[in-house]
Amino acid sequence: MKSRVLPLVLLILFLCTGSAFAKTVAGLPLHVEKFESGAIRLWIGDHISSTAVVAVPTSRGILVIDTFGVPEVDRELRSAIARELGRDDFTFLINTHEHGDHTGGNAVYADCTIVGHELVPENMQRDPADRERTIRWRTTRISELETEIAAMAADAPERARRDEDLILARLLLANAQADNAPPPPPTRVFADRMELDLGDVTVEMFYIGGMHTASDIAVLIPKHGLLLTGDTMADVWLTDTPGCLASFSARSGIAHDFPRWMKNWNHLLDRKDEYHTLLPGHWNGELSHAGAEARVRYVEALWNAAEQKAAAGGRVEDLQAENRLADRFPHLAESPGFAEWTNAGTALEIWCCMTGMESGAQALYALIENGADEAEIRAVVDQKSAASPKYFFVEAAINQLGYRFLNQEQPEQAARLLQANVEMYPESWNTYDSLGEALLATGDREGAIANYEKSVELNPDNTSGTDALARIRGSELAN
Ligand SMILES: [Zn+2]
């Protein structure tokens, strides 16, 4: 008797506990994480870096934070939330930031009040050309994945991940092809802080934008001991494809307000006793109190260093050189999200924010990309010797963007940008060397020779210059 009952009990137990995990959404396993407070967190997939959707029951209805981004998936996630919580009175949706993998399912919550930072609505708008690009890119990606999978053994270690990548790619392609109406943007917005009174639960939101998008917010729910930080940071990656959590750096080309960022983060750190769980916006990243604090102190240290540098009339390239991760922040050098290039980028953005100046390299790049005339280029270049300039200039940054044009097979644009660098840094052998390379790519051999010669004259050790000259002259002889 005993021997028959036990397997039966085990089977029933398995069916009960396993039921939440046995479900799939769009062919991907559905995960439901239950917090002691009664809030839940849902995501799909074991390998892909999908968005984690959080649902919080309150006496004024269910609050949801973020969407997966594909309406057909979010409809199923909404049903799963209703099933798990045993109610379906959805009232509020919060977007932690503007990205499509957080806002793309907003239509599924069109009956709710949607809340977000004031920059979310305008930054959600997409250029119609993006859709065509997405469809092309996804179509190529799908056929690459299909080929890759076809060549794999069924039990290859990479197989499960590639299968999920393929399912996700097909979902996103179908979503782009469906050409649905744009998702509804948040209608309740704020700039700095906002509080939502949901009866027995108070939700506080804080601007922490500029590190991932201009519209990032943190969502503090003291009653549940939760702090949601969107895609801004993580100090542990659970998979080797961190996705949106891959870098902790101030993005270029977006609005920054570091003083407000530091003020709000310090406020959140001061209240760290009010939350025990920090939740990044994707399931495959984790964040500890110590990890968050280390990142805030790092930004503050860079900000203070920039302030001192600017007060002393210093240059941004010295700020970068004196604040390398390896020397100044060795404890972060190996931490998720950090690399020397992201660190240099963050220093640059902090410099721009603090001095009110803009990167001359980026301004010139944008002008040339958009086909500006000589007078417009000249107006920026002349700022280098202006008394109170609008732009700051870094020779290496201009050089780097010149090579970006070259890599994008835009040699004419590269030559224009690198020509400006030669004019601004006439004593630098490297500016002539780079211009020589760009001119050669445009077919201007004489111009290339003249610049390589000048480079070698300034630096006789420039062997790449002498080699280039030998090659050009050699091929001329051969012709
Ligand atoms: Zn994002």
Side-chain angles (χ1 to χ4, degrees):
M1 209 39 203
K2 205 174 174 189
S3 62
R4 278 190 197 170
V5 170
L6 189 61
L8 190 65
V9 168
L10 285 177
L11 179 68
I12 291 166
L13 267 177
F14 171 78
L15 287 174
C16 292
T17 54
S19 64
F21 301 98
K23 299 223 159 37
T24 59
V25 171
L28 291 164
L30 168 67
H31 296 270
V32 181
E33 181 181 6
K34 297 176 184 176
F35 300 108
E36 269 177 43
S37 65
I40 57 173
R41 190 176 189 231
L42 303 89
W43 70 90
I44 57 171
D46 293 321
H47 304 277
I48 51 168
S49 174
S50 49
T51 308
V53 174
V54 172
V56 181
T58 81
S59 61
R60 286 191 58 203
I62 299 172
L63 161 71
V64 174
I65 296 135
D66 280 339
T67 68
F68 174 85
V70 174
E72 65 169 283
V73 171
D74 281 298
R75 266 191 291 278
E76 291 207 44
L77 291 178
R78 181 172 163 147
S79 302
I81 293 169
R83 200 166 56 231
E84 293 292 338
L85 297 183
R87 53 195 277 192
D88 64 355
D89 54 339
F90 293 87
T91 46
F92 284 92
L93 170 71
I94 296 175
N95 292 140
T96 59
H97 61 293
E98 70 216 36
H99 279 164
D101 57 341
H102 297 261
T103 57
N106 280 9
V108 171
Y109 297 93
D111 56 334
C112 298
T113 302
I114 305 179
V115 185
H117 188 262
E118 64 180 4
L119 290 174
V120 172
E122 67 186 86
N123 292 352
M124 273 173 71
Q125 283 169 27
R126 293 280 163 267
D127 179 350
D130 282 353
R131 185 176 155 252
E132 297 306 320
R133 263 196 298 274
T134 302
I135 290 174
R136 269 202 310 277
W137 186 80
R138 297 261 175 232
T139 306
T140 313
R141 181 75 189 125
I142 286 169
S143 65
E144 281 169 6
L145 282 167
E146 284 169 342
T147 312
E148 216 177 306
I149 290 168
M152 272 180 181
D155 58 351
E158 275 291 281
R159 177 68 192 262
R161 192 177 117 192
R162 284 286 170 265
D163 284 343
E164 285 198 0
D165 285 341
L166 182 59
I167 291 172
L168 179 64
R170 285 178 177 154
L171 269 175
L172 294 171
L173 175 64
N175 191 45
Q177 284 169 332
D179 199 19
N180 298 315
T187 49
R188 267 181 78 174
V189 298
F190 66 97
D192 186 23
R193 296 180 182 189
M194 184 192 234
E195 198 174 294
L196 270 186
D197 173 8
L198 299 182
D200 61 338
V201 175
T202 301
V203 179
E204 295 174 68
M205 285 161 278
F206 300 84
Y207 164 90
I208 52 163
M211 297 306 284
H212 181 68
T213 66
S215 62
D216 308 315
I217 58 167
V219 183
L220 175 62
I221 313 176
K223 190 187 174 197
H224 288 259
L226 299 176
L227 179 70
L228 292 87
T229 54
D231 291 359
T232 60
M233 56 175 77
D235 65 346
V236 174
W237 292 334
L238 303 176
T239 63
D240 55 5
T241 46
C244 290
L245 301 170
S247 67
F248 178 71
S249 71
R251 301 291 157 95
S252 67
I254 66 170
H256 296 287
D257 187 343
F258 289 100
R260 201 157 68 173
W261 187 95
M262 291 187 285
K263 179 195 72 172
N264 281 340
W265 257 118
N266 273 309
H267 175 84
L268 288 166
L269 293 178
D270 285 346
R271 294 175 62 187
K272 63 171 179 263
D273 293 344
E274 296 180 48
Y275 49 93
H276 45 72
T277 306
L278 293 94
L279 293 175
H282 293 252
W283 69 272
N284 62 326
E286 291 181 344
L287 181 63
S288 66
H289 277 113
E293 179 151 15
R295 281 155 180 76
V296 174
R297 298 295 164 242
Y298 157 79
V299 170
E300 282 178 335
L302 270 185
W303 177 269
N304 292 337
E307 214 160 39
Q308 284 168 19
K309 186 60 66 189
R315 304 176 312 160
V316 65
E317 51 265 59
D318 297 328
L319 174 72
Q320 290 169 319
E322 291 160 18
N323 288 280
R324 288 171 45 81
L325 284 181
D327 317 318
R328 184 81 203 290
F329 309 100
H331 59 294
L332 293 172
E334 302 296 321
S335 190
F338 286 91
E340 289 297 353
W341 69 269
T342 60
N343 177 48
T346 301
L348 186 84
E349 296 306 321
I350 283 178
W351 184 261
C352 294
C353 178
M354 185 166 49
T355 60
M357 289 165 78
E358 293 172 32
S359 160
Q362 282 168 9
L364 286 170
Y365 182 89
L367 280 173
I368 292 170
E369 174 80 337
N370 294 322
D373 62 28
E374 279 314 305
E376 290 172 284
I377 307 284
R378 175 71 32 215
V380 176
V381 169
D382 286 348
Q383 287 281 307
K384 182 148 188 295
S385 45
S388 48
K390 179 179 173 198
Y391 300 101
F392 64 86
F393 295 89
V394 180
E395 181 199 328
I398 301 170
N399 194 59
Q400 206 176 12
L401 292 175
Y403 277 93
R404 186 191 290 179
F405 274 137
L406 270 181
N407 292 333
Q408 291 167 179
E409 293 174 3
Q410 295 174 284
E412 306 285 345
Q413 288 86 340
R416 285 188 82 189
L417 183 56
L418 295 167
Q419 178 67 45
N421 216 15
V422 160
E423 285 172 35
M424 287 189 280
Y425 298 94
E427 306 303 319
S428 161
W429 64 269
N430 192 46
T431 59
Y432 295 97
D433 185 275
S434 300
L435 179 57
E437 192 174 334
L439 289 174
L440 192 60
T442 67
D444 178 3
R445 285 171 170 240
E446 279 180 23
I449 289 173
N451 280 282
Y452 276 124
E453 280 178 341
K454 179 72 184 175
S455 175
V456 172
E457 181 193 317
L458 288 169
N459 176 16
D461 294 334
N462 175 17
T463 50
S464 84
T466 42
D467 289 352
L469 279 170
R471 267 198 315 277
I472 301 169
R473 290 186 172 129
S475 64
E476 264 175 4
L477 286 177
N479 288 339

